[in-house]
Amino acid sequence: MNILMALSQLEVTGAEVYATTLGDELNRRGHRVFYVSDTLTKPHQGQFFRLRFNKRSIPRRFWHVGYLIYLIKKHRIQLVHAHSRASSWSCYVACKLTGTPMITSVHGRQPVHASRKKFHALGDRALAVCEAVRDQLISALGVEPGLIAIGRNGIDTRHYQPVPAPVNERPVISIVGRLSGPKGELCYRLLDQCLDTDRYRVQVASGSELPERFRRFQDKVEFLGYVRDVPGLMATSDLVIGAGRVAMESILMGRPTFAIGEASAPGLVTPDNIDAAMAGNFGDIGPMDLDIDFAALPDRIATALACQGTAPAVMTKVRSNYDLVAVADELEQHYQSVYVHRLRREVPIVMYHRFIRDDSEKGIHGTYLHVNMLEKHFKLLKRLGYRTLTFADLADQGLASRLTPDSKYIIITVDDGYRDNYELLFPLLKKYGFKAVIYLVTGERFNRWDVEQPGNPEKRVELMTPEQIKEMADSGLVEFGGHTLTHPHLDTLSREEQRREIADNKAQLEQLLGRPLASFAYPFGSHNEDSKALARELGYPFAVATNSGPLAMHEDPYQIRRIAIFPRTDVFGLWRKIKGDYVFRKNK
C-alpha cells in the first residue's frame, strides 16, 4: 500500500519516533511510506515533504489541504495516517475531498471544546496509544467506542536487550525527553526540586534547543542534546527517568525505570504497577495534567536507585505488548479494514466446480459451467487487466499485498478436483497465463458425496488421477489445497472425525506434491469452530468457506468468503461479481 504519515512538530517527538519506526517496518514489508511534517529529524526510509502544519491561519489551512490533495494524487496514496491534531484536521478535509481512507493515532490528551466535540477529524479509525487516551476520547469528546482501537507504540525490541548494571563512581540518572511544553516544565521541576546534583550525576538527553531558564543548571547537569544512541545512554545509567517510549525502551534493557510524565508519576515500574503504567503511557496521559506530588519524589527516586534492575515479568509484559512486529501486524489489520470497508472493495475470490463440453454432461446440482463460457470469462478477465493470485502468494507476501496500488487481482478457486479440471480448465490456464487454486478430495475416486445423496442423486463424475495432479502442480499455474478425504459436512462430525478428514487429506496431498499446502476449503462451506481451529492447528495459513465470513478476507483468514459461479453466470454476470463491491452490495 502507499501510505502517507502526517505529523505536525517543530522538534523530535515520540510521535515522530512512533511514525518512522513503524514506517520503516512497513517499508520492509513492501509498502511505500511517505511523510509530511513541519520537520523530520529521525533517519527514515521514504520521501519526506515539508509542510508547516503549525502555521494555522485560515489561508494556511487551505494551503495545507491543497498540498495534501496534490500529494495524495501524485503518489497514489491509498491511506493517510495522521499523528497530531494539527495534521489530522487538514488530512481529514483532504481525505474527504479525495475519498481517501484515513487513520489517526492519538498520542495524548485532546483539548475539550465545543468544536472539537462536533468535529473530531479522526478519520475512519482512531488508534489511541493507551487506555487513558481511549477513555478520554469517549468520555470527554463523545467519540464512538467502535471508532477507537488501542495502537501501542512499536519498538524494535532487537535493539533493546538486557544489559548488566553499570559501575559508576556516582549514581547516573538519565532524563530523556523534550525541554519544551509540559514535558519541559516537568524536567525543570525535577532538576529544581527533586534531584540532588551533588549526590547524583544527572544527564539530560533532548532534541530541544536548550531553553534559557535551563541554563542555570548547566554547571551541575549534563545537557547532551539529541542522542542517536539512546540504548548506549541507557546502558550506562543507574536510573532512567522518562515516559512513553523512553520508559518502555529502558525497561527492555533491564534498567531501573522511573516512569513520570506530564500527567502522573507511576514511579519505579514493577510487576505491581505495570498495568496501570501502561494504561497511562507510563505517566504521559491521565485524567488531568501534572497530577504529581513533587515533594515525595526525592525519596521515591532514591528508593528506585537502590533497585538493581527491572523485574523479568515487567520486561516480558512490555516486550509482548510493544514488539514492533506484533504492533505492525495489528496496524496492517487496521489499514486493510479501513481501506476495504471505506472503499467497499475487496479482491474477488470466485468459486467454480466442474466444466462440461456439451449438455449431456450437465449435472443436477448446478455446479458446472460450459467450457466455452469459461473461456469467455477468461477473455473478460484478460481484457479488464486482472492478474491472478493464489493463497501461497498471500502466505509469502502477506494479505495486505493484495491491495498493491494499480493492480487488479482475482483469485480463481475450483472445488473437488474433477477430471475435467485437467482436461478443460488446465489448457485455458496455460493459454491465458492464469493461476488457479484447486481443492482436492483424496479419499474418493468419484463424487460419491453427491451420487449417494438420497432423494437427489447426482451423476457420477471421475476425479483427477495423481499423475494429472502432479503435472498441473509442476506447471506453476495450479496451486492445490485440501478438501478432506470424503467431502462430508464437517459441522456434523466430532472433532476427532474432523481431524482425520482434514489431517489425512493434507498429509496425502503434501506427500504427492512435495510441498506444504497454503489453504483448505470446507466441503459445502459447512464448518464450525472446531473446523476452523483444526485448520489452524494443522498448519493451514488460510481456509475458505462459501458465502459466509467477513466481507474483508483478512478479518478472518479461516473463514474467507467466496463468490459462487453458476451455469447461468454469463460474461455480464461475471463482471458484476468481480467488480470488487459485489459482496458489499449483496450483504447490505
Side-chain angles (χ1 to χ4, degrees):
M1 297 180 70
N2 289 348
I3 301 153
L4 180 64
M5 297 279 190
L7 304 98
S8 57
Q9 54 183 36
L10 301 175
E11 58 186 317
V12 180
T13 64
E16 175 182 320
V17 179
Y18 172 97
T20 53
T21 301
L22 280 170
D24 286 351
E25 173 64 15
L26 292 169
N27 273 305
R28 188 190 68 77
R29 297 180 181 211
H31 302 280
R32 294 181 66 205
V33 179
F34 303 81
Y35 299 89
V36 59
S37 178
D38 301 70
T39 62
L40 200 65
T41 304
K42 190 176 185 298
H44 60 278
Q45 302 170 26
Q47 287 183 264
F48 165 58
F49 306 97
R50 189 178 303 279
L51 185 61
R52 295 182 176 179
F53 283 115
N54 276 284
K55 302 287 187 180
R56 303 183 191 183
S57 66
I58 296 300
R60 280 282 186 179
R61 291 206 172 190
F62 276 113
W63 164 247
H64 298 162
V65 171
Y67 189 64
L68 287 167
I69 291 173
Y70 163 76
L71 291 178
I72 288 168
K73 291 184 175 180
K74 178 177 174 59
H75 298 284
R76 304 188 309 282
I77 299 299
Q78 295 171 275
L79 183 139
V80 172
H81 188 163
H83 293 271
S84 65
R85 292 191 297 273
S87 67
S88 69
W89 190 94
S90 299
C91 288
Y92 181 82
V93 177
C95 287
K96 279 291 187 184
L97 293 173
T98 58
T100 306
M102 175 184 166
I103 280 177
T104 298
S105 281
V106 186
H107 295 267
R109 286 174 55 83
Q110 301 296 289
V112 180
H113 45 70
S115 62
R116 187 66 174 169
K117 288 182 178 181
K118 291 183 178 296
F119 188 62
H120 298 139
L122 297 172
D124 300 285
R125 184 163 300 178
L127 301 180
V129 296
C130 65
E131 288 78 0
V133 169
R134 178 197 61 196
D135 296 345
Q136 195 236 356
L137 289 173
I138 295 169
S139 62
L141 293 177
V143 179
E144 288 293 326
L147 181 69
I148 309 170
I150 299 296
R152 305 282 188 199
N153 275 294
I155 299 174
D156 190 341
T157 55
R158 296 171 301 175
H159 297 159
Y160 301 93
Q161 299 296 327
V163 295
V167 179
N168 295 313
E169 185 176 341
R170 282 190 301 162
V172 173
I173 298 177
S174 295
I175 303 173
V176 183
R178 295 200 304 274
L179 298 181
S180 60
K183 284 188 172 63
E185 176 65 21
L186 171 64
C187 182
Y188 185 87
R189 294 186 67 176
L190 286 171
L191 297 177
D192 188 46
Q193 303 174 29
C194 307
L195 297 176
D196 184 347
T197 52
D198 293 324
R199 183 179 176 189
Y200 310 130
R201 178 183 156 202
V202 179
Q203 50 190 17
V204 178
S206 174
S208 305
E209 291 289 331
L210 189 65
E212 181 63 32
R213 65 174 178 160
F214 280 87
R215 297 189 185 278
R216 60 179 284 246
F217 301 116
Q218 279 186 295
D219 291 341
K220 294 187 175 183
V221 175
E222 298 175 56
F223 291 96
L224 305 176
Y226 178 69
V227 175
R228 293 191 179 277
D229 183 17
V230 174
L233 173 70
M234 291 176 173
T236 61
S237 303
D238 293 283
L239 182 69
V240 175
I241 296 178
R245 292 183 67 89
V246 172
M248 303 166 207
E249 292 167 358
S250 174
I251 288 167
L252 288 171
M253 296 190 66
R255 303 314 306 126
T257 303
F258 196 93
I260 183 171
E262 55 197 78
S264 65
L268 180 69
V269 184
T270 69
D272 292 334
N273 69 358
I274 178 62
D275 289 333
M278 287 172 53
N281 205 29
F282 297 90
D284 250 353
I285 300 130
M288 57 188 297
D289 292 339
L290 289 174
D291 182 21
I292 298 171
D293 180 2
F294 283 89
L297 289 184
D299 288 342
R300 295 177 65 190
I301 290 170
T303 300
L305 271 167
C307 179
Q308 294 302 305
T310 299
V314 172
M315 296 167 64
T316 299
K317 183 98 173 182
V318 169
R319 190 173 299 276
S320 63
N321 278 271
Y322 299 94
D323 178 70
L324 177 62
V325 173
V327 170
D329 286 343
E330 290 186 6
L331 188 59
E332 277 193 319
Q333 290 287 105
H334 292 306
Y335 283 174
Q336 293 173 78
S337 291
V338 165
Y339 184 83
V340 170
H341 288 290
R342 162 62 99 80
L343 301 182
R344 294 174 61 82
R345 299 188 67 83
E346 179 57 283
V347 170
I349 307 174
V350 293
M351 175 180 62
Y352 297 92
H353 287 78
R354 293 178 49 218
F355 306 101
I356 64 172
R357 300 177 184 85
D358 55 58
D359 288 353
S360 66
E361 297 176 303
K362 285 183 176 179
I364 295 171
H365 297 159
T367 55
Y368 60 85
L369 187 74
H370 198 287
V371 68
N372 292 342
M373 183 56 69
L374 176 64
E375 181 158 20
K376 290 179 181 179
H377 284 186
F378 282 8
K379 285 181 178 178
L380 175 68
L381 296 179
K382 203 74 171 178
R383 189 178 307 119
L384 295 177
Y386 278 92
R387 297 166 58 192
T388 50
L389 282 175
T390 68
F391 285 103
D393 294 331
L394 295 177
D396 290 341
Q397 301 163 23
L399 270 173
S401 65
R402 76 191 190 281
L403 304 179
T404 301
D406 301 326
S407 293
K408 294 173 69 174
Y409 287 124
I410 188 170
I411 301 176
I412 298 171
T413 68
V414 189
D415 283 10
D416 303 337
Y418 296 104
R419 190 165 296 179
D420 53 64
N421 292 184
Y422 174 80
E423 297 168 347
L424 303 178
L425 169 68
F426 190 32
L428 291 179
L429 294 176
K430 290 188 280 190
K431 180 176 179 179
Y432 290 92
F434 288 158
K435 296 187 289 187
V437 183
I438 299 178
Y439 295 107
L440 293 171
V441 173
T442 56
E444 305 286 0
R445 297 181 62 183
F446 66 96
N447 56 333
R448 186 190 303 275
W449 59 92
D450 281 338
V451 171
E452 298 180 358
Q453 186 174 118
N456 192 23
E458 181 61 275
K459 65 171 59 178
R460 175 174 173 138
V461 184
E462 299 299 315
L463 303 182
M464 283 187 285
T465 66
E467 293 74 23
Q468 291 168 334
I469 294 168
K470 194 74 168 65
E471 181 184 343
M472 294 174 81
D474 291 344
S475 73
L477 297 175
V478 179
E479 173 188 312
F480 287 100
H483 203 39
T484 71
L485 292 174
T486 63
H487 204 284
H489 286 274
L490 287 172
D491 57 355
T492 67
L493 304 182
S494 69
R495 183 182 178 89
E496 285 310 307
E497 289 171 327
Q498 289 193 52
R499 178 182 289 277
R500 176 178 173 275
E501 285 279 351
I502 300 171
D504 289 1
N505 169 251
K506 185 173 188 285
Q508 291 170 10
L509 284 172
E510 290 180 341
Q511 182 176 11
L512 172 65
L513 300 172
R515 69 193 72 168
L517 304 186
S519 62
F520 172 79
Y522 305 109
F524 304 108
S526 301
H527 64 281
N528 55 24
E529 289 304 312
D530 282 342
S531 318
K532 293 168 67 172
L534 286 166
R536 182 183 297 107
E537 288 172 18
L538 293 168
Y540 279 113
F542 306 105
V544 298
T546 51
N547 61 349
S548 69
L551 302 182
M553 71 170 77
H554 69 279
E555 292 178 348
D556 189 346
Y558 292 93
Q559 192 175 350
I560 296 174
R561 182 182 290 265
R562 293 188 288 170
I563 302 169
I565 303 298
F566 299 107
R568 294 184 180 180
T569 305
D570 58 12
V571 173
F572 178 73
L574 179 69
W575 175 78
R576 287 181 62 250
K577 291 185 174 187
I578 64 173
K579 285 197 305 176
D581 64 346
Y582 177 75
V583 294
F584 292 89
R585 288 187 287 107
K586 186 180 177 183
N587 291 273
K588 281 184 178 179

